[in-house]
Amino acid sequence: SLGSTEADELMKIGKLYELLAILFRDFATKTDETETKKNATSLEIAYTVASYVNSRISEKISLSDLAGSAYMSESRFGHVFKSVTGVAPLDFVESIRLARARELLAETDLSLTEIAMRCGFADHSYFTLRFRRASGASPSKFRVACRKKADTL
């Protein structure tokens, strides 16, 4: 039987693969060999960055940090990453942070301030602002909706 820490790590890895599958589902439709090699390299860069972000989710992460994790200059990294994913690198970081926040809201009773800190947001207010813009609901309303949904299952 897996310990809770091992199970948590496996869940994180699973979520990471889910996120990558969503971001790159269109890659499978490419048939050109050069394009396929480019896509494989791009997928590798995205996986590296996602792993880096996941392991440091509560920390401040800069474009320089992300570029360094992929062994690229900031300008090259920014261009390659956006062309691969369709989003800017720091927007990608925020999407990972918000996905983790949604999990914590749905699965824990942690305070919004604690969730904000664990997910790398500077404070509760900024977290609430970014969450509302991305989700269309405040973190509190999202949590209530998750609880109601769980109660009806």
Side-chain angles (χ1 to χ4, degrees):
S1 138
L2 292 175
S4 67
T5 303
E6 291 170 327
D8 289 344
E9 285 304 309
L10 288 173
M11 289 292 291
K12 286 179 187 175
I13 290 168
K15 294 286 184 186
L16 186 59
Y17 281 120
E18 265 182 60
L19 179 62
L20 288 173
I22 290 166
L23 289 172
F24 301 104
R25 66 180 168 241
D26 295 333
F27 279 7
T29 62
K30 304 288 185 194
T31 54
D32 180 299
E33 189 174 322
T34 305
E35 193 68 24
T36 301
K37 285 180 183 177
K38 225 190 289 184
N39 288 340
T41 301
S42 299
L43 196 64
E44 188 176 316
I45 290 167
Y47 177 78
T48 299
V49 170
S51 295
Y52 179 87
V53 171
N54 196 44
S55 68
R56 292 166 179 78
I57 198 164
S58 65
E59 301 171 18
K60 182 176 168 98
I61 298 173
S62 69
L63 182 60
S64 176
D65 296 330
L66 297 174
S69 76
Y71 304 101
M72 301 172 95
S73 70
E74 285 182 43
S75 61
R76 177 77 179 134
F77 173 77
H79 174 74
V80 168
F81 194 87
K82 182 148 186 170
S83 71
V84 168
T85 64
V87 297
L90 295 178
D91 291 339
F92 179 77
V93 171
E94 185 169 280
S95 70
I96 292 175
R97 292 183 192 281
L98 290 170
R100 180 68 180 136
R102 283 189 293 277
E103 289 175 16
L104 292 173
L105 287 164
E107 299 169 5
T108 73
D109 290 322
L110 294 171
S111 71
L112 296 183
T113 300
E114 179 64 23
I115 291 172
M117 296 298 131
R118 286 189 183 196
C119 295
F121 291 93
D123 60 55
H124 167 273
S125 298
Y126 185 69
F127 165 62
T128 299
L129 173 75
R130 300 308 298 166
F131 191 93
R132 182 176 283 135
R133 281 194 183 154
S135 303
S138 71
S140 298
K141 285 185 180 174
F142 178 85
R143 176 177 268 168
V144 168
C146 287
R147 301 282 159 85
K148 284 182 182 175
K149 185 176 180 182
D151 288 343
T152 61
L153 295 180

